[in-house]
Amino acid sequence: MPYKNIKTGIRRRNILAWFLAIFLMLFYALLYWDKEIDEKIIPFLQVLFPGFRFSCEQFMAKLSQKVDFLSYPLRGKGADKWFFYGFVYTLLVVVMGLRFIRHYRHEKYQVYRTVSVMGVQLVLAFLVPSLLQKANVKEFYFSYFWPLKIEYFLPSALYELPRAFFYWGVFMSFIAVPVLTYFFGKRWYCSWVCGCGALANTAGDDFRHLSTKTEFSWKLEKITIYSILVIAIVMTAILFINHFRAIPDTFSEFAFALQRWYFFFIGAGFAGVVGTGFYPLAGTRVWCRFGCPLAAILGILQVTISRFRITTNHGLCIACGNCSTYCEMGIDVRAYAMRGEDIRRAACVGCGICQAVCPRGVLRLENRVLGLRQSK
Amino acid sequence: MPHLLVMDEISCDALIVGNGPAGIKAALTLREKDPKIRICIISRESLYFYSRPALMYVYMGSLRLEDTYPYEKNFWRKKNIWLLQDSVKLIDPQAKKAFTERNQVISFQVCLLATGARPKILPALGEIPREVCYFTNLADLKKLEELTHKPEQIKRAVVIGGGLIGVELAEMLSYRKIAVSFLVRENYFYPKALSEKEGRLVEKEICQHGVDLRLNCEVHAWHQEQGKLKGVVLANHSFLEAELACVAIGVESETELARNSHISCGEGILVNPALQTEYPHIFAAGDAAEIVKGDTREQYFLWYTAEKMGRLAGENMYAYLKGLPLQDFELGFWYNSAKFFRLDWQHFALFPHLRQTEREIFFSFEQGNKLLRLIVEKETISGMSALGLRLRERFCHQVLAEKRDVEYFLKNAQHAFFDPEFFPNYGKDLEKYALQEH
């Protein structure tokens, strides 16, 4: 059972949902582009409204000061906007995670998974990076790797990161990802580790039913997510070629412009502003479903080599639609259950909600292979 | 006869009356067999196929009505299946024409009556108050929504009838914080399919959710004041105050259309094992049909039996159109499932009811809060039923089909369970949990 009525209020894209979406998008815009807004948009506003005075940068700095009390002991210095953001994000994941656990307390899979994402967010994505800064080491997020955290496998990582961290990232991207995905499917990352998934499945869980299930959206998803994966790979290759050529010319200008545009449009615009801002409008996994290049790789591995699938007791299915409605990735789970097919979809993040909300015990997330023993 | 002159006439090859699981399955099977055949599905209730068992979730607010449509709206256009919302009033079997309420005439080659079922009404209780409702279709949902619009004004509701819809209603009303008295005629819950041990466990679950469950309890009369329901008089002459009454004492075939059209009916629309009525080009399937096999008559009121009959009806309608031999209906395994509040129930068996030659072996887990029942004939397993646990359909069917014995089941029991990961897999040493036989 979901939390509350999804037919009314903020869960049904009412005016409040639009306000929340605009608020979230504005917040991300300020977070990523405060200086740019001060330089380019505020002067324009001052022409329209003489006497208007506002500095986004100062606003964010003031806002960040509110968490100085935590920043000093953790990082040995005052809070900046990124620390403030990390603090709010972690707080949301932990508090709303506890709410989620209370709600799904009878579903062990949900409880363990949520404890995992809460722990990863709190320790690996908040405390450890802060304490590293206190120890004067470059801050590093052990739970993110290329191509989601694309800068961990770019030439810049070679001189910006401690070598051990660089190797950790390479190990995770190229060895842990295929091996763990073979055994457990994409879910080991998307539903047990990743911070984007953590926020979606805790603070955003009330909006999961808003994901679109149309066939059109499935077609669109395949185009966008694999395009971004290709862009990410090509960009990485270009930057490495540029690094080893080491000649400042039009090619290197192009390489760096490409990197800037990638961070602007995909890193900040898509993953941040749209990814979170669209929660109340299009569900929680917009970025994960349509954008994330790491999810694309995990998805390809999931449908090719992985043992993971959702098996069905299809005779018991009453086509009620709880599974499809609450699928945050917009998979029409019911269609598979009605046909009695295992669900092997690149998009499936293995959150297990379909299995939890099914009123007839039709769905089960599985990695294992059946082996029957004969009686004498 | 309706006045023919003012009517529009349209024609199709296969007319399907009713868009429940039987009708829809028949239409899709026909379409699979032949991409050209002109198929028309007519329903008086809803243009689009929706999942009837999901209505409870619409009431509880966890689904929107659109969420209960198993197929996207443009699916029907793609499949070239024509949907109509209208009520068929009469079928002329000889002229192969159907007449609808909106003065439409539809001519057909073959027709399927998949009109479903309607709720049984309590006999001999006199005039039915407005505050009495059923729960089988969209109109019932709407009525119940209206009646419980202000749940705080309802001091108590009674749910009459200890079946699967009854327990759904009890859950739905308690979810809206309405006090519920649940009146069950039998001496334990749902003896139709559950053993007494299982029934008791379900009763415990129902009571734990604050429902006032009353066994051995029948309603004698409605009590009304100024045209409003004030309570019910029970068979033992005690009085139970209630502002709302939900009746779920079972369903019966909807045969009105067939009777009006002079197609012979018993309890349901009478069909041969190939699902043909007395007119070979008119078929019936699903809850509406009553299959005559020699001396026996069979009726089924389940989602999956309707689907199975629908599939066969589709195949046979196609075969009839093409002059091919028809096939007979075979039920195959019997299975059913439900959720009693939070308690899952799954049942797989060769026969719907326990027979005299069969014995039962119980396994009890977590202090009797979860039960597994094996039904055994001699040494062969003929059924299994799980309460609070989930079973793997594929495995259970295999055990039944291969006529496996108890030993085989125990050896492979870790594959029998379908509970989500991290639940204890009792299958590893199932014998340990066996209850002493009585």
Side-chain angles (χ1 to χ4, degrees):
Chain A
M1 276 295 124
Y3 299 97
K4 278 204 185 109
N5 201 330
I6 63 165
K7 296 193 287 181
T8 55
I10 198 165
R11 294 178 187 80
R12 197 177 190 173
R13 294 190 196 103
N14 68 351
I15 186 85
L16 212 61
W18 283 90
F19 275 126
L20 179 62
I22 291 168
F23 168 79
L24 288 169
M25 286 191 261
L26 278 177
F27 173 78
Y28 273 92
L30 277 180
L31 181 72
Y32 287 117
W33 305 312
D34 51 349
K35 275 184 205 144
E36 287 80 355
I37 295 173
D38 282 344
E39 279 163 21
K40 288 175 187 148
I41 297 178
I42 299 288
F44 177 72
L45 287 175
Q46 277 166 342
V47 173
L48 287 177
F49 308 101
F52 176 78
R53 230 169 265 286
F54 189 75
S55 162
C56 300
E57 203 180 348
Q58 279 173 21
F59 173 75
M60 288 307 285
K62 262 192 202 154
L63 201 61
S64 306
Q65 278 169 16
K66 308 239 187 270
V67 289
D68 273 347
F69 70 93
L70 203 64
S71 186
Y72 278 108
L74 281 178
R75 309 196 307 163
K77 58 183 173 184
D80 58 9
K81 60 179 180 177
W82 295 112
F83 181 79
F84 173 75
Y85 173 56
F87 169 76
V88 173
Y89 198 102
T90 308
L91 191 70
L92 277 172
V93 168
V94 172
V95 172
M96 299 300 267
L98 290 173
R99 168 179 179 258
F100 181 91
I101 288 177
R102 195 175 142 250
H103 189 82
Y104 284 102
R105 60 190 173 280
H106 302 293
E107 300 290 334
K108 291 198 174 119
Y109 182 76
Q110 300 306 329
V111 174
Y112 294 167
R113 172 174 85 78
T114 307
V115 168
S116 168
V117 288
M118 282 160 62
V120 168
Q121 177 60 36
L122 183 65
V123 178
L124 295 185
F126 183 66
L127 294 179
V128 169
S130 301
L131 292 171
L132 282 174
Q133 281 173 293
K134 193 174 189 176
N136 275 324
V137 184
K138 168 88 182 164
E139 70 173 317
F140 188 78
Y141 296 85
F142 288 92
S143 53
Y144 293 102
F145 13 92
W146 184 90
L148 172 55
K149 193 82 173 165
I150 198 151
E151 58 266 40
Y152 285 178
F153 187 65
L154 289 184
S156 53
L158 290 169
Y159 42 85
E160 277 178 9
L161 289 180
R163 209 32 73 90
F165 292 174
F166 177 77
Y167 289 138
W168 166 263
V170 171
F171 170 77
M172 290 309 284
S173 294
F174 298 103
I175 297 172
V177 161
V179 171
L180 291 172
T181 308
Y182 166 73
F183 284 108
F184 306 111
K186 188 177 179 177
R187 57 184 172 150
W188 77 268
Y189 188 69
C190 297
S191 292
W192 287 73
V193 173
C194 180
C196 311
L199 190 71
N201 284 172
T202 53
D205 206 63
D206 286 49
F207 302 116
R208 58 163 55 240
H209 59 280
L210 297 172
S211 63
T212 148
K213 275 90 189 176
T214 55
E215 218 182 312
F216 171 75
S217 61
W218 186 10
K219 283 179 190 157
L220 181 70
E221 157 195 329
K222 284 192 275 196
I223 296 171
T224 57
I225 193 168
Y226 296 123
S227 307
I228 290 177
L229 174 65
V230 169
I231 294 171
I233 292 173
V234 169
M235 185 186 89
T236 306
I238 288 178
L239 282 168
F240 268 106
I241 293 169
N242 177 56
H243 177 73
F244 291 117
R245 271 173 87 242
I247 312 165
D249 59 359
T250 44
F251 180 79
S252 75
E253 272 170 38
F254 167 73
F256 289 122
L258 189 66
Q259 185 176 3
R260 271 199 310 280
W261 285 111
Y262 186 89
F263 281 103
F264 178 78
F265 278 111
I266 295 172
F270 200 162
V273 180
V274 172
T276 315
F278 274 34
Y279 270 22
L281 305 178
T284 47
R285 291 272 194 173
V286 174
W287 160 249
C288 312
R289 180 178 173 193
F290 295 97
C292 178
L294 180 55
I297 292 180
L298 291 161
I300 292 170
L301 294 170
Q302 175 153 284
V303 290
T304 50
I305 61 162
S306 179
R307 287 160 53 163
F308 172 77
R309 75 274 181 206
I310 303 176
T311 41
T312 58
N313 271 348
H314 97 281
L316 305 180
C317 177
I318 52 168
C320 67
N322 274 301
C323 50
S324 293
T325 304
Y326 289 97
C327 179
E328 53 186 344
M329 299 305 282
I331 299 170
D332 191 0
V333 185
R334 164 173 52 192
Y336 291 82
M338 286 171 73
R339 290 196 301 264
E341 271 174 41
D342 284 355
I343 296 141
R344 286 175 191 274
R345 277 276 293 271
C348 176
V349 290
C351 69
I353 291 290
C354 54
Q355 154 188 285
V357 297
C358 175
R360 292 293 185 272
V362 173
L363 302 160
R364 186 172 192 270
L365 278 62
E366 286 191 64
N367 317 312
R368 270 192 303 165
V369 192
L370 276 187
L372 295 182
R373 284 185 289 177
Q374 297 295 311
S375 55
K376 283 170 277 178
Chain B
M1 282 297 279
H3 192 45
L4 288 176
L5 290 173
V6 293
M7 289 192 158
D8 285 338
E9 183 155 344
I10 46 183
S11 79
C12 63
D13 299 317
L15 173 66
I16 293 167
V17 185
N19 69 352
I24 294 297
K25 199 79 200 178
L28 294 178
T29 309
L30 264 173
R31 178 53 75 233
E32 227 171 76
K33 292 256 169 202
D34 187 337
K36 290 226 175 72
I37 224 165
R38 292 171 305 164
I39 304 169
C40 172
I41 303 176
I42 185 163
S43 162
R44 68 177 168 202
E45 193 192 356
S46 158
L47 187 59
Y48 295 104
F49 170 46
Y50 72 94
S51 167
R52 212 165 285 272
L55 287 183
M56 74 175 286
Y57 303 106
V58 178
Y59 180 80
M60 288 160 76
S62 62
L63 293 179
R64 298 150 291 199
L65 186 61
E66 315 85 86
D67 296 327
T68 70
Y69 298 155
Y71 303 100
E72 267 183 73
K73 287 180 180 174
N74 63 8
F75 171 86
W76 304 105
R77 204 176 320 121
K78 273 190 227 159
K79 287 275 168 192
N80 196 14
I81 291 173
W82 185 20
L83 304 180
L84 270 181
Q85 188 172 0
D86 201 344
S87 170
V88 178
K89 287 290 160 202
L90 193 72
I91 285 173
D92 183 342
Q94 268 98 24
K96 299 186 180 176
K97 282 180 201 298
F99 305 90
T100 75
E101 197 171 55
R102 291 190 192 165
N103 289 348
Q104 196 94 40
V105 183
I106 307 168
S107 61
F108 55 83
Q109 300 297 314
V110 283
C111 173
L112 173 68
L113 302 176
T115 45
R118 60 176 174 224
K120 280 186 192 162
I121 53 170
L122 282 165
L125 288 191
E127 192 201 339
I128 299 173
R130 204 186 68 89
E131 292 84 2
V132 172
C133 65
Y134 306 91
F135 197 68
T136 60
N137 59 31
L138 287 171
D140 295 335
L141 172 71
K142 205 173 150 209
K143 184 174 173 187
L144 191 62
E145 288 276 14
E146 279 163 16
L147 288 174
T148 56
H149 183 59
K150 290 180 178 152
E152 62 282 358
Q153 287 180 2
I154 298 171
K155 272 183 246 149
R156 181 161 291 277
V158 283
V159 174
I160 302 162
L164 301 183
I165 297 182
V167 78
E168 276 182 10
L169 280 162
E171 184 178 350
M172 287 154 54
L173 295 171
S174 358
Y175 186 81
R176 293 230 179 152
K177 306 211 162 39
I178 297 172
V180 178
S181 288
F182 189 10
L183 313 183
V184 175
R185 188 179 57 184
E186 293 81 13
N187 58 359
Y188 72 86
F189 185 79
Y190 208 45
K192 218 169 137 186
L194 300 181
S195 68
E196 191 177 339
K197 261 195 203 69
E198 291 167 323
R200 298 286 177 230
L201 182 53
V202 177
E203 287 161 19
K204 194 171 123 192
E205 174 76 13
I206 293 171
C207 294
Q208 267 174 5
H209 285 84
V211 174
D212 163 37
L213 175 71
R214 301 186 182 199
L215 299 167
N216 300 309
C217 193
E218 278 186 83
V219 175
H220 182 65
W222 304 118
H223 178 70
Q224 298 185 63
E225 275 171 28
Q226 289 149 359
K228 282 201 152 191
L229 183 74
K230 285 291 166 197
V232 289
V233 182
L234 304 178
N236 60 7
H237 300 292
S238 62
F239 178 71
L240 183 64
E241 232 179 288
E243 276 96 31
L244 172 72
C246 298
V247 181
I249 54 167
V251 292
E252 60 194 11
S253 300
E254 175 61 82
T255 54
E256 197 189 337
L257 170 63
R259 282 180 206 279
N260 290 346
S261 313
H262 303 289
I263 295 168
S264 42
C265 294
E267 297 282 307
I269 304 168
L270 295 177
V271 291
N272 65 12
L275 304 180
Q276 289 167 302
T277 61
E278 61 192 298
Y279 302 98
H281 60 288
I282 297 184
F283 293 71
D287 291 4
E290 182 177 359
I291 304 172
V292 184
K293 268 185 188 166
D295 294 338
T296 60
R297 288 177 169 202
E298 292 164 7
Q299 268 185 300
Y300 305 103
F301 296 99
L302 296 175
W303 176 275
Y304 83 91
T305 50
E307 260 200 340
K308 217 170 230 182
M309 276 191 234
R311 187 181 301 122
L312 181 73
E315 281 168 9
N316 279 354
M317 283 157 82
Y318 174 77
Y320 180 84
L321 285 172
K322 302 285 165 189
L324 304 168
L326 306 193
Q327 285 172 2
D328 282 356
F329 179 69
E330 298 240 2
L331 179 66
F333 300 127
W334 177 263
Y335 48 95
N336 203 354
S337 66
K339 193 158 193 174
F340 306 113
F341 286 85
R342 293 198 330 95
L343 205 59
D344 284 300
W345 170 61
Q346 302 188 328
H347 180 88
F348 302 88
L350 295 179
F351 310 100
H353 306 291
L354 192 71
R355 299 182 313 159
Q356 288 205 328
T357 49
E358 290 173 327
R359 67 191 171 92
E360 295 166 309
I361 305 174
F362 283 94
F363 299 87
S364 152
F365 316 93
E366 297 178 18
Q367 297 90 43
N369 284 318
K370 294 177 174 183
L371 285 173
L372 172 70
R373 172 168 57 117
L374 293 185
I375 303 160
V376 182
E377 192 162 17
K378 286 176 194 137
E379 272 312 296
T380 314
I381 292 178
S382 59
M384 44 221 115
S385 161
L387 203 55
L389 298 160
R390 292 175 172 183
L391 292 174
R392 187 185 295 273
E393 181 186 12
R394 219 169 286 174
F395 178 78
C396 294
H397 278 186
Q398 188 207 335
V399 167
L400 293 176
E402 295 173 0
K403 297 192 169 36
R404 294 293 186 172
D405 56 6
V406 180
E407 194 197 344
Y408 178 88
F409 189 90
L410 291 176
K411 257 193 181 159
N412 292 292
Q414 78 259 38
H415 304 302
F417 293 98
F418 204 62
D419 285 312
E421 292 154 302
F422 303 112
F423 276 91
N425 190 340
Y426 299 112
K428 279 181 187 145
D429 36 11
L430 191 59
E431 278 162 87
K432 218 170 73 185
Y433 300 97
L435 281 184
Q436 293 301 313
E437 281 178 61
H438 300 295

